């Protein structure tokens, strides 16, 4: 199904569902923590990682014993709860992490509910010939250890759970500490779905206090057969050094090229829609724009008509000193810039206030013209700030956009009607996702064809993960029989 909601439709759905929920308990810090929500103890959350792994092992055994039909019924309940409780998780996510937007996070959960593939994603392959029949099946790994980010916390827990359970696995999570209440709410949701559908009381598990130590226990535990890690470069590197089979979904810095054959007005709107989705938290969101010089003014005008606020270079530099901070490497003593966590995923209004500019709620993105070397271009900011670099033509655009992508091979975007230019950039940038003439979120099935995921595994090559990504291939040979032609 294609989801292509307007802002107004999203707001309407959110308003109606939020109204039907009990008060606004989620906004009160005292009402939730990593083990409970509104006075209810969350199911599947353990103090000790070893106990959490033990519970996930039991969950795995229960899933293995289920028929595919029962597994799919259980996933159907997960989808229903995810859709119904989308606004709760969205509000909790914003309240806990201080990042993103409730309306967009609600839409992200509904996307996960509707477009994460289930058991149908698991397909056997058959080869027949003179020597008989050989069957290749996609089998579960066993217990998966999953590390999840702060930017899409509950979305990733639910999306990964659906895919991993559909593939017949168990799963234990070591979520981001800054989003632990939201992530564990999602763990609880999966377990409630399991109880409703007649599955085990604890199907998936997590810990109350995730740390690097609990991640290490997970890496080393013999019951964990596959690690799936969604996050920045540090954690992807650590999981790939674990000595276990690992799927790594890492950082991006998606560039956008706009050439002079594009529908410029549409490009301006699409880029702002994509770059402001959940305040630019998604790893696929537009992070910097390379615009042909002859259309740059028209593009900026269209962006301004669609909620962008243009700041000058001096203000951009002032803002850069706030949203990026110095960090000293304790080993080498080298100081480098890192993103200020207090600014990630904040509203444009809040960020503008930091440089003394007051704007209304209609402003959803900050735009500025910069050169290529500007930190706004080079850093993955994950906030609604979009630098625009003027380029002389397609050669320079592709060269600079590829450099700004930093070889992550994650996501890139282009607005153009010139198929040669589109093809050249797609070939050169080699990203897992390449979106043409649409907002970035079309690349994960929101207003675009194809399934959704919040674990996009560029470094290890699985791409947009789904149930089949969490399987191992097993062959069964029947010699000299079962070929019926
Ligand atoms: P992060 O890297 O800070 O944290 C991700 C997870 O890794 C957290 O659970 C964290 O506690 C854990 N972690 C960090 N270092 C670790 C280590 N050395 N050992 C074990 N665990 C460790 O990520 P974040 O800020 O929550 O998310 C934003 C980043 O993740 C961005 O770079 C974004 O592009 C990326 N991301 C990628 C995808 C994708 O699908 N490719 C999806 C979402 C986010």
């Amino acid at each position: 199904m294609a989801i292509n909601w307007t802002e107004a439709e999203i707001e309407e759905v959110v308003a109606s569902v939020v109204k039907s929920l009990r008060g606004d308990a989620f906004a009160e810090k005292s009402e939730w923590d990593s083990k409970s929500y509104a006075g209810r103890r969350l199911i599947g959350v353990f103090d000790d990682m070893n106990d959490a792994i033990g519970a996930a092992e039991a969950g795995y055994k229960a899933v293995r014993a289920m028929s595919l039909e029962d597994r799919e019924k259980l996933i159907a309940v997960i989808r229903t709860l995810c859709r119904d409780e989308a606004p709760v998780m969205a509000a909790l996510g914003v309240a806990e992490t201080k990042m993103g937007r409730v309306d967009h996070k609600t839409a992200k959960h509904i996307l996960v509910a509707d477009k994460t593939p289930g058991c149908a994603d698991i397909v056997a392959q058959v080869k027949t010939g003179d020597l008989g029949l050989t069957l290749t099946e996609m089998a579960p790994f066993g217990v998966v250890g999953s590390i999840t980010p702060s930017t899409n916390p509950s979305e990733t827990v639910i999306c990964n759970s659906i895919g991993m359970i559909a593939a017949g696995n168990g799963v234990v999570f070591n979520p981001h500490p800054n989003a632990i209440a939201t992530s564990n709410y999602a763990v609880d949701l999966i377990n409630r779905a399991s109880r409703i559908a007649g599955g085990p009381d604890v199907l998936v598990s997590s810990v109350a206090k995730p740390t690097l130590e609990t991640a290490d226990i997970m890496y080393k535990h013999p019951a964990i057969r596959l690690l799936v890690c969604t996050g920045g470069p540090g954690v992807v590197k650590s999981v790939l050094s674990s000595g276990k089979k690992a799927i790594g979904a890492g950082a991006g810095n998606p560039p956008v090229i706009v050439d002079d054959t594009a529908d410029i007005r549409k490009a301006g709107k699409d880029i702002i829609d994509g770059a402001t989705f959940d305040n630019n938290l998604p790893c696929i969101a537009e992070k910097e724009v390379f615009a042909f010089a002859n259309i740059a003014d028209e593009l900026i005008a269209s962006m301004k008509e669609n909620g962008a606020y243009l700041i000058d270079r001096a203000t951009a530099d002032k803002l850069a000193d706030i949203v990026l901070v110095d960090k000293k490497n304790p080993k080498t003593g080298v100081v480098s810039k890192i993103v200020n966590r207090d600014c990630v995923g904040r509203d444009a209004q809040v960020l503008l206030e930091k440089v003394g500019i007051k704007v209304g709620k209609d402003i959803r993105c900050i735009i500025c013209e910069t050169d290529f070397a500007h930190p706004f271009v080079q850093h993955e900011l994950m906030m609604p700030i979009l630098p625009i670099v003027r380029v002389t033509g397609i050669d320079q655009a592709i060269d600079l956009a590829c450099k700004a992508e930093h070889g992550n091979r994650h996501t890139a975007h282009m607005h153009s009607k010139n198929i040669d230019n589109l093809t050249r950039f797609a070939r050169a940038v080699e990203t897992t996702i390449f979106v043409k003439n649409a907002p970035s979120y079309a690349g994960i099935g929101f207003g675009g064809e194809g399934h959704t995921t919040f674990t996009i595994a560029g470094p290890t090559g699985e791409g947009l993960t789904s149930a089949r990504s969490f399987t191992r291939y097993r062959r069964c040979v029947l010699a000299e029989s079962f070929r019926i032609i």
Side-chain angles (χ1 to χ4, degrees):
M1 86 180 261
I3 300 174
N4 200 359
W5 287 358
T6 64
E7 285 267 324
E9 282 166 335
I10 293 173
E11 270 169 31
E12 199 181 312
V13 171
V14 173
S16 72
V17 185
V18 168
K19 232 173 152 186
S20 69
L21 294 165
R22 86 173 260 290
D24 61 346
F26 44 74
E28 294 295 328
K29 173 73 186 85
S30 59
E31 291 281 349
W32 48 262
D33 58 30
S34 68
K35 288 187 190 174
S36 67
Y37 179 82
R40 185 169 54 78
R41 180 145 183 126
L42 301 176
I43 309 164
V45 179
F46 294 83
D47 289 324
D48 187 322
M49 176 52 94
N50 287 299
D51 292 340
I53 293 171
E57 271 190 284
Y60 166 53
K61 286 192 187 123
V63 171
R64 282 209 70 178
M66 272 180 212
S67 67
L68 281 173
E69 195 184 346
D70 285 346
R71 222 186 273 175
E72 199 52 53
K73 275 186 192 156
L74 195 157
I75 290 169
V77 181
I78 297 175
R79 294 187 198 281
T80 303
L81 294 186
C82 181
R83 219 175 287 122
D84 290 352
E85 298 174 31
V88 181
M89 289 183 277
L92 182 56
V94 173
E96 182 180 27
T97 65
K98 315 271 184 300
M99 304 191 296
R101 290 178 46 158
V102 175
D103 51 355
H104 292 168
K105 281 195 190 293
T106 301
K108 281 159 73 180
H109 285 85
I110 292 170
L111 178 69
V112 165
D114 290 350
K115 293 191 86 175
T116 305
C119 298
D121 197 50
I122 305 295
V123 278
Q125 293 161 22
V126 169
K127 167 96 178 86
T128 64
D130 293 340
L131 300 179
L133 177 147
T134 291
L135 171 70
T136 304
E137 288 198 291
M138 295 176 170
F141 267 91
V143 183
V144 182
S146 176
I147 294 189
T148 51
S150 59
T151 46
N152 322 304
S154 35
E155 299 90 316
T156 310
V157 166
I158 296 174
C159 188
N160 281 2
S161 294
I162 292 176
M164 289 165 186
I165 293 165
N169 297 290
V171 51
V172 55
F173 290 96
N174 195 62
H176 199 293
N178 296 351
I180 188 61
T182 314
S183 308
N184 284 352
Y185 184 101
V187 166
D188 172 79
L189 181 148
I190 304 289
N191 289 323
R192 279 186 283 131
S194 176
R195 289 176 181 200
I196 292 168
D201 281 357
V202 178
L203 175 57
V204 304
S205 62
S206 175
V207 283
K209 207 166 174 275
T211 58
L212 292 185
E213 287 70 38
T214 54
D216 199 51
I217 294 171
M218 182 192 254
Y219 290 179
K220 294 193 175 126
H221 198 290
I224 303 293
R225 298 293 194 140
L226 168 69
L227 291 163
V228 176
C229 161
T230 316
V235 64
V236 170
K237 193 171 165 210
S238 103
V239 86
L240 293 181
S241 321
S242 67
K244 287 209 168 137
K245 160 78 182 176
I247 294 177
N253 193 35
V256 194
I257 293 179
V258 185
D259 79 10
D260 56 3
T261 66
D263 178 340
I264 306 300
R265 291 183 70 80
K266 180 178 181 300
K269 179 176 186 312
D270 284 354
I271 293 170
I272 297 300
D273 283 349
T276 57
F277 191 57
D278 207 16
N279 279 344
N280 203 266
L281 288 178
C283 51
I284 55 155
E286 295 83 347
K287 299 282 189 287
E288 62 279 337
V289 179
F290 297 93
F292 276 32
N294 57 346
I295 52 87
D297 289 339
E298 192 186 342
L299 183 70
I300 289 169
S302 165
M303 288 176 166
K304 283 163 77 176
E305 277 165 25
N306 286 286
Y309 185 91
L310 181 68
I311 55 172
D312 60 24
R313 179 62 196 247
T315 312
D317 291 344
K318 204 166 139 193
L319 190 57
D321 284 339
I322 295 167
V323 304
L324 293 155
V325 289
D326 289 338
K327 187 171 181 203
K328 193 173 181 179
N329 182 319
K331 283 186 194 149
T332 61
V334 176
V335 177
S336 56
K337 291 279 181 204
I338 59 157
V339 172
N340 179 352
R341 284 263 160 187
D342 289 341
C343 297
V344 172
R346 295 298 171 110
D347 291 345
Q349 231 184 344
V350 173
L351 296 171
L352 280 170
E353 258 177 39
K354 291 181 188 291
V355 286
I357 299 171
K358 282 206 182 313
V359 294
K361 270 201 178 317
D362 54 319
I363 295 300
R364 48 184 179 138
C365 191
I366 303 167
I367 56 169
C368 50
E369 285 202 52
T370 69
D371 54 32
F372 172 73
H374 197 276
F376 284 172
V377 175
Q378 300 301 324
H379 287 267
E380 185 198 23
L381 295 179
M382 294 182 285
M383 54 190 89
I385 298 176
L386 200 59
I388 300 154
V389 179
R390 284 179 196 247
V391 291
T392 51
I394 192 64
D395 292 338
Q396 191 190 22
I398 292 176
D399 179 45
L400 295 185
C402 289
K403 285 179 180 146
E405 213 274 326
H406 300 311
N408 293 319
R409 303 203 292 183
H410 193 298
T411 298
H413 311 282
M414 185 159 181
H415 294 265
S416 170
K417 287 186 181 152
N418 180 323
I419 48 172
D420 295 333
N421 287 352
L422 286 163
T423 308
R424 274 186 62 191
F425 183 35
R427 281 193 182 151
V429 75
E430 292 188 279
T431 47
T432 303
I433 299 179
F434 189 77
V435 178
K436 301 166 183 165
N437 300 326
S440 49
Y441 44 70
I444 53 165
F446 193 84
E449 286 301 329
H451 73 273
T452 201
T453 182
F454 281 84
T455 295
I456 299 153
T460 47
E462 291 77 7
L464 287 93
T465 57
S466 60
R468 66 179 61 186
S469 314
F470 312 122
T471 61
R472 50 193 279 266
Y473 285 28
R474 292 176 56 191
R475 173 185 278 199
C476 185
V477 179
L478 185 66
E480 293 170 13
S481 217
F482 268 81
R483 180 173 160 87
I484 58 163
I485 50 173

